[in-house]
Amino acid sequence: MARIQKLTKIPCKLCFCMVPVCSFACLVYYGLLLDLKYITDIKSDSRGRNYSNLSSFAGEFLYPKIHENVNYIVNTETCHIPDLDPYGASISKFIETEKHYVCRQSNLITYRKGFKIIVDKKVVNKYYRLFLKCSYQPYVKRIGKEIGKNVFLFDKFQNFTEFVNVTDEFCTICCFDKNDILLLKQQFAFVIRNATLIKIRKQVRQINKSKNAKSPMNVLMIALESTSRLNFIRQMNFTRRYLQSTMKAVELMGYNKLGLNTFPNMVAILLGITVDEMNDDNTFYDRYPFIWKDFMEAGYVTLMGEDTHDQSLFNYQRKGFKWTPVDYYMRPHVMALEQNSGSNKTWCSGNFLVLQSVLDKLVEFVASYRDVPHFAFTFIGKPSHDNSNRLGIVDLPLLRTLTDLNTRGLLDNTVLMIFGDHGSRYGKMRNTFQGRLEENLPAFYVFLPQWFRKTHSYLFENLKTNRKKLTSNFDVYATLQDILGLGRGHLSPKSSGKYGTSLLRNIRTKRTCADLKIPIFFCACQSFIETYSSESRIVHEIAQWVVKEINTILFKVSHLCSHLTLSVIRQAWRSVQRILRKKPNISPPTVDFVIQFNVFPSNAVFEATVRYVKQEFILLGDILRINKYVGQSNCVSGHKNALVLERYCYCLK
């Protein structure tokens, strides 16, 4: 809910009432009214800073210099998104590239071949002279609890010295020496093709089949943490080249996030509603109608996998799922991988990246069910979560995965989506204007198989046309529903969701962020925005007011968290609607300020979007924390409102 502060009314007189051009006089009047409190007769403030130059803002306050030479990647009547250089001057010094991450190499005792796990005799003879045996220990997800260890199937344990036949999806291999001392522990995951499941889903498809039914298209979704469109260009160059040149994938230029972090953005894609509409009461998520349930009801086999368990989509300060939500759920395996590494902070388990294990499982799943309709959702988050420059570590593993799938013909009947949840939310690059814009514009690529591009050329043309229109998460949900409808042979497939429109359909050019439920402070369609003096009195007063709002949020935990005070104002921007330039008689204008500032004692960096209209401050959306806060707010981790408080709290102890 917007929070408002009423400013003291400022008496003023028009000293130019006799000026013949009355419309111009009225316009200047409103311009002065907007900033008069901060301009008139001000030479310096209580801290000795000079504001005498602020009078120069009055004239351009309503007539900002519109940059006519700016190029736009989206340029419609209702949305203008500038085409920024991925290596622009304001961010180039923050860009680094890291393409390889080498895991610590161990002498692994066993390896997999098909559905066998085999003891490597050469390694044993060279490095493990006292080797005695290995133990096959399968496990499953703990039903009803997401916190704790997996459940081992003790009745299936078996020892072996040469090889063991695998009968389970997940297993731990523990190898011992003659003194019964553990030599090594390894984790394996398999896709066991389920004939009974295939039969059940086939029966479901027959029930739902219409006389016009087509062959259902498979869907693969690969989401990447903190991946903006421009950072994908910078860091994922090999994958991007393969997507565009070889696979002919379409890049959405105007894809705009609608939520702060991963959860609200993925909820919109997977549920088609906002987080507020979700009525999340911090219980298990089994009851929600996630999109994979629609695919299962359409006869698809499903998979979900993430490369982390503690910061996963449905488990970070949440309970996750009581029951396995999809047919193949990788969370138990990832938990075991992280436990095997001794820390959930490392990216490796054994000799391999955890993300590579997730991608390998995806390929194995697609290959195992290539003749059965399948849906897969994977999320790769570890490398880029804390540092957007480390996204490049995902590039070669993802390239290998796509190359493998494509060259084996495993994508011949598949819609593939590769996308970011949002851009980088922290760091020095984020503190720039370009960084702000990048956060709101995630990467999004859509691949359609060649036969589909030819048979449904009009749908493919729609997709290509939509690439330079404003799109968002709800459009993805509508697209998934559209794919289901096409597979069922519906003559008029469901191409629109509650808010979005399928990317395969013609999207209106006049749509706005409000149409897509994108809050104004995340909307990249702002008509005009420019740097504003951080020394301005209005900027200083806005910053003080926002700090007061933060302390209000912390009031009920003030016995745990420090009282915050303004330290320094880092940057400020303002935006003025372009309509003012076309209709100068409109009054009073609405001006939005974006303020970045530090507070004491936490040195937290916050960003707030504040509207100044009719002498009022109105806070637009959340106050964002744009630097890391790990370890600063542990004292509120158990609070029911921890997801909010952790951004602002600086623990007293």
Side-chain angles (χ1 to χ4, degrees):
M1 181 177 294
R3 292 179 283 277
I4 303 174
Q5 170 177 303
K6 184 76 174 179
L7 298 183
T8 306
K9 290 187 177 180
I10 309 164
C12 65
K13 298 179 180 180
L14 288 175
C15 61
F16 40 73
C17 288
M18 302 304 294
V19 177
V21 188
C22 294
S23 61
F24 176 77
C26 291
L27 184 61
V28 172
Y29 167 76
Y30 282 112
L32 290 174
L33 182 62
L34 276 170
D35 221 15
L36 193 58
K37 180 179 179 181
Y38 309 99
I39 297 175
T40 306
D41 297 327
I42 294 177
K43 301 300 181 184
S44 63
D45 69 357
S46 60
R47 296 168 68 180
R49 294 178 299 188
N50 194 324
Y51 292 94
S52 59
N53 65 333
L54 285 179
S55 59
S56 63
F57 286 129
E60 68 178 78
F61 203 80
L62 296 188
Y63 288 106
K65 293 178 285 186
I66 304 297
H67 301 289
E68 301 291 356
N69 296 325
V70 173
N71 293 320
Y72 295 96
I73 52 176
V74 174
N75 192 14
T76 65
E77 184 177 333
T78 54
C79 184
H80 310 278
I81 300 178
D83 185 8
L84 300 178
D85 181 357
Y87 301 92
S90 66
I91 64 165
S92 58
K93 59 186 175 183
F94 305 126
I95 299 172
E96 299 174 358
T97 302
E98 187 174 351
K99 289 290 185 184
H100 301 280
Y101 187 87
V102 179
C103 297
R104 179 178 56 85
Q105 297 299 295
S106 302
N107 298 306
L108 302 181
I109 295 176
T110 62
Y111 63 93
R112 62 172 290 179
K113 186 175 182 180
F115 288 95
K116 288 184 177 182
I117 296 175
I118 303 172
V119 174
D120 191 329
K121 293 295 185 178
K122 291 183 179 180
V123 171
V124 168
N125 292 335
K126 186 174 183 179
Y127 299 103
Y128 303 100
R129 297 291 181 87
L130 296 178
F131 169 79
L132 176 64
K133 64 181 179 181
C134 291
S135 175
Y136 171 77
Q137 302 177 0
Y139 58 88
V140 294
K141 176 189 180 300
R142 181 186 294 266
I143 300 298
K145 293 183 179 180
E146 277 296 339
I147 300 174
K149 299 179 181 179
N150 295 317
V151 176
F152 281 94
L153 306 176
F154 293 103
D155 58 330
K156 288 190 172 184
F157 279 25
Q158 56 179 303
N159 297 329
F160 64 100
T161 57
E162 295 187 359
F163 69 88
V164 64
N165 291 311
V166 173
T167 57
D168 302 273
E169 187 178 357
F170 308 123
C171 66
T172 298
I173 301 298
C174 296
C175 297
F176 302 89
D177 67 9
K178 294 178 181 179
N179 298 315
D180 206 31
I181 295 175
L182 179 66
L183 296 174
L184 200 66
K185 183 186 293 186
Q186 294 176 248
Q187 303 293 337
F188 293 93
F190 297 84
V191 175
I192 310 293
R193 185 176 166 96
N194 190 327
T196 302
L197 177 63
I198 293 172
K199 183 178 180 180
I200 292 173
R201 296 297 158 81
K202 183 177 181 180
Q203 291 173 345
V204 170
R205 292 197 302 277
Q206 292 298 326
I207 293 172
N208 296 327
K209 190 174 183 179
S210 70
K211 63 180 181 179
N212 299 313
K214 307 292 183 181
S215 175
M217 294 187 68
N218 309 312
V219 175
L220 301 185
M221 305 181 74
I222 301 176
L224 304 174
E225 171 72 52
S226 301
T227 302
S228 70
R229 187 182 74 86
L230 295 184
N231 202 41
F232 195 95
I233 294 173
R234 289 189 292 263
Q235 303 290 344
M236 302 287 288
N237 52 304
F238 291 113
T239 297
R240 184 172 187 265
R241 186 182 305 121
Y242 190 78
L243 281 169
Q244 293 187 318
S245 299
T246 303
M247 298 180 66
K248 308 303 179 186
V250 175
E251 177 187 15
L252 301 183
M253 314 288 276
Y255 182 71
N256 198 130
K257 77 168 190 174
L258 59 78
L260 173 65
N261 51 27
T262 303
F263 190 72
N265 288 300
M266 293 302 101
V267 162
I269 289 175
L270 299 173
L271 276 175
I273 58 175
T274 65
V275 167
D276 291 338
E277 293 172 296
M278 192 179 181
N279 296 319
D280 187 0
D281 55 3
N282 199 29
T283 57
F284 293 113
Y285 290 110
D286 301 77
R287 72 182 189 275
Y288 290 100
F290 290 105
I291 192 67
W292 54 73
K293 291 185 178 181
D294 293 335
F295 279 93
M296 293 167 78
E297 290 174 1
Y300 283 63
V301 179
T302 55
L303 172 142
M304 181 165 68
E306 300 180 69
D307 68 337
T308 181
H309 89 274
D310 63 324
Q311 293 184 330
S312 62
L313 176 56
F314 297 102
N315 296 88
Y316 177 65
Q317 296 197 0
R318 296 179 172 91
K319 289 189 175 181
F321 296 96
K322 183 176 183 179
W323 307 94
T324 300
V326 290
D327 299 310
Y328 291 86
Y329 188 42
M330 288 200 64
R331 179 170 171 78
H333 179 57
V334 173
M335 288 178 65
L337 287 173
E338 292 184 340
Q339 291 167 2
N340 198 54
S341 67
S343 170
N344 56 20
K345 303 301 181 184
T346 183
W347 303 345
C348 300
S349 181
N351 295 356
F352 308 101
L353 287 167
V354 174
L355 73 89
Q356 187 66 64
S357 297
V358 174
L359 293 175
D360 289 346
K361 184 74 178 289
L362 173 64
V363 174
E364 190 177 347
F365 170 76
V366 173
S368 297
Y369 288 99
R370 66 183 303 165
D371 59 334
V372 180
H374 50 267
F375 170 91
F377 176 85
T378 56
F379 194 97
I380 305 299
K382 274 198 170 182
S384 54
H385 183 271
D386 295 325
N387 186 343
S388 60
N389 282 325
R390 285 182 164 173
L391 176 64
I393 293 171
V394 185
D395 192 17
L396 294 178
L398 184 53
L399 174 65
R400 286 192 294 267
T401 298
L402 295 180
T403 303
D404 188 14
L405 289 169
N406 193 40
T407 55
R408 293 167 61 185
L410 297 176
L411 299 178
D412 289 351
N413 191 42
T414 297
V415 178
L416 170 68
M417 300 178 183
I418 296 178
F419 56 98
D421 53 351
H422 50 74
S424 178
R425 295 174 50 223
Y426 308 107
K428 295 179 180 179
M429 189 182 298
R430 170 59 182 80
N431 294 338
T432 66
F433 171 71
Q434 176 158 336
R436 290 190 64 251
L437 197 63
E438 284 199 31
E439 181 192 347
N440 299 332
L441 296 170
F444 207 107
Y445 294 82
V446 181
F447 162 79
L448 298 172
Q450 186 176 8
W451 72 264
F452 186 93
R453 299 197 297 263
K454 291 182 178 180
T455 305
H456 302 287
S457 58
Y458 68 102
L459 297 179
F460 184 52
E461 288 302 316
N462 285 338
L463 176 63
K464 291 192 293 184
T465 302
N466 292 336
R467 67 189 296 266
K468 288 198 172 184
K469 295 178 183 178
L470 174 66
T471 54
S472 193
N473 310 61
F474 288 126
D475 297 321
V476 182
Y477 179 81
T479 305
L480 296 172
Q481 293 291 353
D482 198 6
I483 293 168
L484 283 170
L486 288 168
R488 293 187 179 116
H490 294 174
L491 297 178
S492 299
K494 185 177 181 181
S495 59
S496 296
K498 186 176 181 180
Y499 304 113
T501 300
S502 170
L503 297 168
L504 304 178
R505 309 292 166 167
N506 184 31
I507 289 177
R508 293 186 303 113
T509 57
K510 292 186 179 181
R511 63 182 357 197
T512 64
C513 285
D515 295 332
L516 291 168
K517 296 295 181 181
I518 301 172
I520 189 171
F521 47 93
F522 293 142
C523 180
C525 292
Q526 292 166 311
S527 299
F528 175 76
I529 193 160
E530 67 174 357
T531 302
Y532 197 75
S533 173
S534 60
E535 298 292 304
S536 164
R537 178 71 68 86
I538 189 172
V539 168
H540 186 265
E541 190 155 328
I542 289 173
Q544 292 280 20
W545 179 70
V546 175
V547 172
K548 184 178 178 181
E549 289 293 306
I550 297 174
N551 284 320
T552 300
I553 294 171
L554 295 173
F555 177 74
K556 291 186 177 180
V557 289
S558 58
H559 59 294
L560 299 173
C561 307
S562 300
H563 180 82
L564 304 179
T565 58
L566 180 63
S567 174
V568 61
I569 299 172
R570 301 167 66 94
Q571 296 187 83
W573 298 276
R574 69 173 180 185
S575 66
V576 182
Q577 295 299 320
R578 192 185 280 260
I579 192 172
L580 296 174
R581 197 164 179 262
K582 297 179 179 180
K583 300 179 181 180
N585 59 327
I586 291 180
S587 59
T590 297
V591 184
D592 296 337
F593 288 89
V594 177
I595 313 292
Q596 288 182 358
F597 57 90
N598 290 61
V599 296
F600 179 84
S602 63
N603 200 34
V605 183
F606 292 112
E607 179 179 286
T609 303
V610 177
R611 176 160 291 172
Y612 182 46
V613 62
K614 295 183 180 180
Q615 304 178 67
E616 292 177 345
F617 289 155
I618 304 174
L619 183 62
L620 302 180
D622 295 330
I623 301 166
L624 307 180
R625 176 75 179 263
I626 59 174
N627 67 334
K628 297 176 184 178
Y629 48 88
V630 175
Q632 289 193 348
S633 53
N634 291 343
C635 58
V636 295
S637 60
H639 195 278
K640 64 179 181 180
N641 201 26
L643 286 171
V644 174
L645 296 175
E646 66 178 2
R647 295 181 231 155
Y648 310 120
C649 178
Y650 185 71
C651 295
L652 290 168
K653 296 181 180 180

